């Protein structure tokens, strides 16, 4: 059975946690085999599992324990899984500045609410606005630019149309299709 | 002495209460000596309630006002498949509640499922108080491992309505493992095969000394002993129909009698190979003449009737072992929990699957409550062992040293076994991504507590707000999982899609409660929500029900 840690040791550990990699968190060697990783996890759990402090009234201590234990559990989850461990080892090898936690890929969110489409009061403006928005969605940025310009002529003060026009211009430029309508 | 914390197994069919006394988990008997209490609530005149044995005994004569197996409905949505199924077979009236939750209508009054659960819990609390001679205020309650957040929260609400502070909700198979390994200093990999009244769970645990690690867990929340009873009932109903050309199941009283006889037949088949079923005034035939039911059921026939149910349990076992990266051969011990596991045909099937004799030392009806009591004691006694040197934890009872049992070697000091439970989250947690897919942040079977972050991007051009929808479940399609909650982060910079980055963090605490944070990485603006899983009740409703419950009369 591991010895109980004193409060200042626990607070100290919590304060340096961000600089420790998973191996350091579990106090195991880089070459540690699965069984060593498991033993280390059990050993650290015995000392630092939040349930060991459940009835304590020391909020600061409990907070530090929670922070540390979450990292211990994470380290264990990664190091016991050969695939994740290989990824993590590669991440550490790639650079000293790399995050000490396993990096995860990005993903686009779902259930999204895109910015509402602008509306025009003038019926002619609305007609060209719709054509412009449709072109924008299709990726026909120069077409969108033209239609939005017409829409803005029928309703000059409309901010929403102006913004969409600016967007279409920017995108057309980025795409490199600033077609000169007069060029043959 | 510190106030006692009870452990309660709130089962589909039966409940059981236990408490740790001097380091030993003790199952608490009621005044008649019963170790378990039926989870049945009946309503009589003038707000009078019957709970337990008294309620079960009058069930056949008062089916519409008697609520049994209500655990099958707790925390579920009214329009779910499970509730639809229950409405077909339950003799009491099931109606929709105000939050698309489920209510039970008895004598024109609607009761929520947490309220029904609270009546049973109050009874268990009472049994403990009568035995201990002191007030009980705190409890650890068990739930099937595969219960989702809503079902767990609803169970917690039931505790609160009953006037109990619920220190922790723990999983039934885990509790059984605690009870099995407590104080035995084992080094083993074990499987808990938990076939309850209404649910089936499998957990794989690794026990070293006093540390119990749940490696994986899997289950089916709508598969249990009740299904066996229904198969037996269906078999006899068919025989009756063949003889008398009328379906007896259309008559609620006949159905109730038949279900009860089927349950008894099942229990008897745990001890013998053949059982006769006899209901004198069962149901009327096509001409309106009352006919009896006479029949026999053999173990062989039962095996035939429930073959697919047993196979279903092994599919769940496959899943749990695979998740644990183990095979049946890696397992040192198989422990059976739940009444149906007393059936020899189930024991044989399990023995065949795991290639080893299942453990029979533990009483499948009591282990779960005992494990809950062990966890209750571990939590209550934690963090208080930081005694300054030289100061004995002096208690009033210290003078009784002379009377101490000589068999207990080292009284007071290290005699009490300890236990630490490292549990996992049974279901994955994630958010919806573009196209209606789920992106998991916390994988199922991750040890808790845990936190995980992920960077998400906008999925449309000029998207200035993003909706974070939090789901629980294993399906890749978000809509097939349980929606736990949703919130919006707005004020994002209008930019091409993918440009704006949002960091979403999931934090799961030891109670299984999820906290979700979404942060706009450009502005550092953030939104935090605590996913207070909806049990189907608001906090106000729970408080009100608590007051009402205190007023009701229970006998």
């Amino acid at each position: 059975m591991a010895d109980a840690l004193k409060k200042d040791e626990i607070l100290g550990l919590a304060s340096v946690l961000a600089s420790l990699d998973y191996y350091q968190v579990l106090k195991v060697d880089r070459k540690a085999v699965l069984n060593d990783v498991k033993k280390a996890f059990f050993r650290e759990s015995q000392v630092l599992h939040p349930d060991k402090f459940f009835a304590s009234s020391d909020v600061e201590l409990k907070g530090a324990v929670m922070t540390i234990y979450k990292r211990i559990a994470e380290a264990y989850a990664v190091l016991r899984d050969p695939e994740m461990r290989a990824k993590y080892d590669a991440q550490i090898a790639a650079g000293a500045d790399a995050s000490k936690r396993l990096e995860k890929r990005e993903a686009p969110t779902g259930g999204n609410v895109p910015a509402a489409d602008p509306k025009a009061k003038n019926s002619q403006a609305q007609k060209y606005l719709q054509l412009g928005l449709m072109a924008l969605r299709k990726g026909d940025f120069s077409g969108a630019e033209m239609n939005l310009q017409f829409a803005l002529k029928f309703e000059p003060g409309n901010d929403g149309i102006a913004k969409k026009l600016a967007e279409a211009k920017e995108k057309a430029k980025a795409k490199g299709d600033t077609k000169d309508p007069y060029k043959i | 002495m510190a106030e006692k914390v009870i452990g309660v197994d709130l089962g589909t069919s039966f409940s059981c209460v236990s408490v740790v006394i001097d380091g030993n988990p003790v199952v608490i008997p009621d005044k008649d000596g019963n170790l378990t209490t039926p989870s049945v609530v009946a309503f009589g005149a003038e707000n009078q309630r019957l709970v337990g044995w008294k309620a079960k005994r009058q069930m056949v004569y008062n089916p519409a006002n008697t609520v049994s197996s209500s655990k099958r409905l707790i925390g579920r949505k009214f329009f779910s498949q499970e509730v639809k199924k229950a409405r077909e077979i339950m003799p009491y009236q099931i109606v929709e509640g105000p939050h698309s939750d489920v209510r039970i209508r008895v004598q024109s009054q609607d009761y929520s499922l947490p309220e029904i659960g609270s009546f049973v819990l109050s009874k268990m609390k009472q049994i403990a108080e009568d035995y201990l001679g002191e007030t009980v205020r705190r409890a650890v309650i068990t739930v099937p491992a595969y219960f989702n957040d809503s079902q767990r929260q609803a169970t917690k609400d039931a505790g609160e309505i009953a006037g109990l502070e619920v220190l922790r909700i723990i999983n039934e198979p885990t509790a059984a493992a605690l009870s099995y390994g407590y104080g035995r200093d084992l080094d083993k990999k074990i499987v808990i095969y938990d076939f309850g009244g209404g649910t089936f769970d499998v957990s794989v645990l690794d026990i070293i000394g006093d540390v119990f690690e749940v490696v994986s867990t899997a289950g089916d929340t709508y598969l249990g002993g009740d299904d066996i009873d229904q198969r037996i009932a269906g078999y006899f109903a068919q025989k009756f129909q063949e003889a008398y050309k009328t379906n007896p199941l259309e008559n609620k009283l006949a159905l109730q009698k038949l279900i009860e006889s089927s349950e008894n037949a099942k229990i008897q088949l745990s001890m013998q190979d053949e059982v006769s079923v006899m209901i004198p005034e069962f149901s009327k035939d096509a001409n309106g003449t009352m006919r009896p039911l006479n029949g026999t059921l053999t173990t062989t026939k039962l095996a035939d009737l429930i073959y697919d149910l047993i196979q279903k349990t092994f599919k769940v076992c496959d899943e749990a072992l695979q998740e644990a990266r183990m095979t049946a051969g890696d397992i040192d011990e198989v422990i059976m929990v739940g009444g149906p596991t007393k059936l020899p045909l189930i024991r044989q099937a399990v023995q065949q699957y795991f290639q080893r004799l299942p453990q029979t030392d533990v009483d499948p009806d009591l282990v779960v409550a005992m494990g809950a009591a062990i966890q209750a004691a571990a939590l209550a006694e934690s963090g208080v062992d930081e005694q300054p040197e030289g100061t004995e934890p002096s208690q009033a009872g210290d003078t009784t040293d002379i009377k101490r049992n000589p068999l207990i070697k080292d009284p007071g000091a290290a005699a009490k076994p300890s236990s630490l439970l490292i549990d996992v989250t049974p279901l994955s947690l994630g958010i919806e991504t573009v196209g209606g897919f789920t992106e998991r942040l916390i994988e199922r079977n991750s040890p808790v507590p845990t936190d995980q972050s992920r960077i998400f991007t906008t999925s449309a051009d000029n998207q200035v707000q993003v909706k974070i929808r939090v789901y629980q479940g294993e399906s890749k399609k978000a809509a097939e999982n349980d929606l736990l909650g949703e919130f919006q982060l707005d004020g994002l910079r209008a930019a091409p899609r993918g440009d704006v980055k949002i960091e979403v963090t999931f934090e799961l605490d030891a109670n299984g409660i999820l906290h979700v944070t979404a942060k706009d990485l450009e502005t550092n603006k953030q939104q935090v929500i605590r996913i207070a899983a909806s049990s189907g009740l608001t906090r106000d409703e729970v408080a009100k029900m608590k007051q009402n419950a205190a007023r009701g009369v229970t006998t």
Side-chain angles (χ1 to χ4, degrees):
Chain A
M1 169 114 183
D3 288 330
L5 289 173
K6 293 200 179 64
K7 183 179 173 180
D8 54 353
E9 290 176 298
I10 291 173
L11 297 183
L13 180 56
S15 70
V16 298
L17 197 65
S19 67
L20 304 179
D21 65 32
Y22 292 153
Y23 294 97
Q24 291 166 321
V25 167
L26 285 180
K27 302 192 188 116
V28 291
D29 194 85
R30 286 279 166 92
K31 293 191 185 77
V33 295
L34 186 61
N35 202 36
D36 298 336
V37 171
K38 191 180 99 181
K39 274 188 190 151
F41 174 64
F42 274 56
R43 183 190 63 224
E44 297 305 310
S45 295
Q46 233 163 5
V47 187
L48 286 160
H49 194 286
D51 282 357
K52 290 281 181 189
F53 300 83
F54 183 85
S56 164
S57 53
D58 190 334
V59 178
E60 187 189 22
L61 179 65
K62 285 172 91 164
V65 166
M66 184 61 92
T67 310
I68 297 167
Y69 193 75
K70 282 189 294 196
R71 192 60 59 84
I72 290 173
E74 181 181 327
Y76 178 57
V78 171
L79 297 187
R80 76 175 167 181
D81 180 319
E83 217 174 280
M84 281 203 275
R85 184 171 172 174
K87 252 190 219 168
Y88 182 67
D89 287 346
Q91 184 187 313
I92 300 183
D97 290 339
S99 160
K100 299 292 183 189
R101 299 178 73 176
L102 182 65
E103 281 163 7
K104 301 276 171 66
R105 67 196 164 86
E106 291 179 3
T109 52
N112 293 313
V113 190
D117 285 335
K119 283 194 176 66
K121 286 186 198 106
N122 179 291
S123 65
Q124 287 296 323
Q126 181 65 20
K127 191 180 105 193
Y128 286 111
L129 174 60
Q130 288 305 327
L131 289 170
L133 291 173
M134 218 188 296
L136 200 58
R137 266 181 220 120
K138 280 188 200 149
D140 171 15
F141 302 126
S142 46
E145 194 181 331
M146 193 174 73
N147 280 302
L148 289 168
Q149 247 158 9
F150 286 143
L152 203 59
K153 269 185 189 148
F154 283 102
E155 197 171 317
N158 192 318
D159 254 16
I161 301 175
K163 267 188 195 156
K164 281 283 168 197
L165 178 59
E167 183 192 331
K169 276 183 178 164
E170 199 177 303
K171 279 188 179 156
K173 209 167 146 192
K175 204 181 163 192
D177 66 351
T178 41
K179 268 189 279 177
D180 185 345
Y182 300 108
K183 203 171 165 186
I184 305 162
Chain B
M1 193 58 212
E3 200 181 288
K4 292 255 182 282
V5 186
I6 54 171
V8 185
D9 170 8
L10 181 61
T12 306
S13 318
F14 287 92
S15 293
C16 179
V17 58
S18 171
V19 69
V20 171
I21 296 174
D22 294 331
N24 295 309
V26 176
V27 175
I28 304 177
D30 69 5
K31 281 178 175 158
D32 300 324
N34 300 304
L35 294 177
T36 59
T37 301
S39 306
V40 180
V41 180
F43 296 87
E46 290 161 29
N47 204 16
Q48 196 202 23
R49 284 195 296 269
L50 295 176
V51 181
W53 289 105
K54 281 184 190 166
K56 191 176 169 78
R57 274 185 219 117
Q58 56 83 67
M59 195 160 151
V60 174
Y61 312 102
N62 189 22
N65 300 321
T66 308
V67 184
S68 62
S69 296
S70 66
K71 188 179 177 180
R72 288 196 153 200
L73 302 169
I74 200 164
R76 294 193 188 273
K77 294 270 182 229
F78 183 73
F79 47 79
S80 65
Q81 274 303 314
E82 290 82 358
V83 173
K84 205 180 146 206
K85 191 174 156 195
R87 289 176 69 202
E88 284 165 14
I89 56 174
M90 296 300 189
Y92 46 84
Q93 204 183 348
I94 299 168
V95 297
E96 185 174 359
H99 318 289
S100 32
D101 59 327
V102 178
R103 302 282 161 122
I104 291 170
R105 183 165 293 168
V106 185
Q107 296 166 353
S108 72
Q109 187 163 348
D110 290 356
Y111 296 91
S112 68
L113 270 303
E115 274 177 293
I116 301 288
S118 82
F119 300 149
V120 178
L121 284 172
S122 295
K123 180 80 180 176
M124 303 321 286
K125 178 177 183 265
Q126 188 62 51
I127 289 171
E129 287 176 342
D130 289 347
Y131 180 86
L132 294 168
E134 62 182 53
T135 311
V136 172
R137 273 181 268 264
R138 299 184 295 168
V140 168
I141 303 174
T142 60
V143 295
Y146 231 51
F147 254 26
N148 67 19
D149 247 40
S150 309
Q151 291 167 302
R152 282 165 200 270
Q153 188 59 48
T155 305
K156 242 184 141 179
D157 287 353
E160 197 179 318
I161 296 167
L164 287 165
E165 183 194 341
V166 182
L167 295 191
R168 182 73 51 87
I169 295 285
I170 68 167
N171 297 327
E172 285 155 11
T174 315
L178 272 175
S179 166
Y180 166 76
Y182 178 69
R184 292 175 62 184
D185 200 22
L186 303 174
D187 185 348
K188 277 185 177 176
K189 291 179 176 66
I190 67 166
V191 159
I192 308 287
Y193 180 95
D194 181 357
F195 203 141
T199 55
F200 177 72
D201 282 326
V202 172
S203 288
V204 180
L205 284 100
D206 203 337
I207 308 175
I208 302 180
D210 61 355
V211 183
F212 296 69
E213 183 206 7
V214 181
V215 188
S216 72
T217 199
D220 185 333
T221 49
Y222 219 91
L223 169 63
D226 286 359
D227 295 298
I228 299 177
D229 302 346
Q230 281 158 24
R231 290 287 170 88
I232 299 173
Y235 168 68
F236 284 121
Q238 199 193 336
K239 292 251 157 203
F240 186 89
Q241 192 164 9
E242 280 164 14
Y244 302 110
K245 313 289 173 232
T246 174
N247 182 4
L249 300 185
E250 281 162 8
N251 173 346
K252 282 209 167 176
L253 182 60
L255 170 68
Q256 197 58 37
K257 282 180 181 169
L258 184 55
I259 291 273
E260 198 187 62
S261 299
S262 301
E263 187 190 349
N264 285 333
K266 174 188 71 182
I267 292 168
Q268 283 179 47
L269 286 179
S270 298
M271 293 159 283
Q272 60 209 55
D273 282 341
E274 191 176 315
V275 60
S276 47
V277 173
M278 160 79 192
I279 305 173
E281 291 195 350
F282 178 54
S283 195
K284 286 175 182 158
D285 64 16
N287 304 323
T289 316
M290 184 58 90
R291 298 286 183 178
L293 180 84
N294 276 313
T296 55
L297 182 66
T298 61
T299 292
T300 320
K301 184 69 210 170
L302 180 64
D304 197 28
L305 292 174
I306 64 169
Y307 177 80
D308 62 314
L309 297 179
I310 297 177
Q311 290 312 308
K312 236 171 149 181
T313 71
F314 294 137
K315 274 224 171 88
V316 180
C317 291
D318 287 345
E319 207 183 300
L321 285 171
Q322 200 186 345
E323 277 282 312
R325 297 169 199 277
M326 288 183 203
T327 60
D330 295 324
I331 301 303
D332 299 310
E333 203 79 75
V334 179
I335 291 143
M336 309 281 267
V337 184
T341 62
K342 289 180 188 165
L343 282 171
L345 75 99
I346 291 188
R347 295 200 165 213
Q348 278 157 17
V350 170
Q351 183 183 344
Q352 228 165 42
Y353 178 90
F354 286 102
Q355 294 292 304
R356 75 174 39 252
L357 216 61
Q359 177 62 238
T360 47
D361 287 358
V362 291
D363 187 329
D365 291 335
L366 311 178
V367 277
V368 171
M370 287 160 76
I374 292 165
Q375 179 68 356
L379 293 177
E381 287 159 18
S382 65
V384 289
D385 54 351
E386 301 133 12
Q387 297 285 344
E389 268 176 55
T391 55
E392 282 287 305
S394 83
Q395 299 290 342
D398 266 9
T399 47
T400 58
D401 257 355
I402 334 124
K403 288 183 202 158
R404 271 213 173 102
N405 186 341
L407 290 175
I408 299 172
K409 283 171 226 145
D410 188 10
K416 284 186 195 172
S418 61
S419 64
L420 172 67
L421 174 62
I422 303 165
D423 216 336
V424 295
T425 176
L427 296 157
S428 299
L429 293 157
I431 74 171
E432 182 182 347
T433 62
V434 70
F437 293 103
T438 327
E439 183 74 19
R440 289 181 196 161
L441 273 88
I442 296 177
E443 295 281 341
R444 71 162 155 169
N445 292 319
S446 300
V448 289
T450 183
D451 61 6
Q452 287 297 321
S453 299
R454 189 71 60 86
I455 308 288
F456 289 89
T457 58
T458 48
S459 56
D461 295 334
N462 295 313
Q463 182 181 349
V464 292
Q465 47 190 201
V466 57
K467 211 170 233 172
I468 309 287
R469 288 207 179 102
V470 182
Y471 284 91
Q472 181 171 43
E474 307 313 312
S475 177
K476 284 210 165 78
K477 286 185 193 153
E480 289 174 3
N481 294 320
D482 290 324
L483 177 66
L484 294 184
E486 58 184 318
F487 65 107
Q488 202 163 294
L489 184 66
D490 35 38
L492 304 177
R493 178 172 60 90
R497 64 169 162 256
D499 253 27
V500 178
K501 293 189 184 347
I502 303 132
E503 186 185 53
V504 177
T505 303
F506 275 23
E507 186 188 352
L508 197 59
D509 68 20
N511 283 309
I513 292 171
L514 181 66
H515 305 259
V516 181
T517 313
K519 189 159 123 189
D520 177 349
L521 290 177
E522 280 178 22
T523 60
N524 273 335
K525 180 179 170 182
Q526 66 176 32
Q527 278 279 339
V528 184
I529 58 159
R530 171 177 167 269
I531 297 281
S534 64
S535 62
L537 297 179
T538 65
R539 291 296 96 200
D540 285 351
E541 284 173 309
V542 171
K544 209 172 149 203
M545 286 169 184
K546 188 176 168 181
Q547 286 172 0
N548 287 343
R551 261 186 261 126
V553 191
T554 305
T555 50

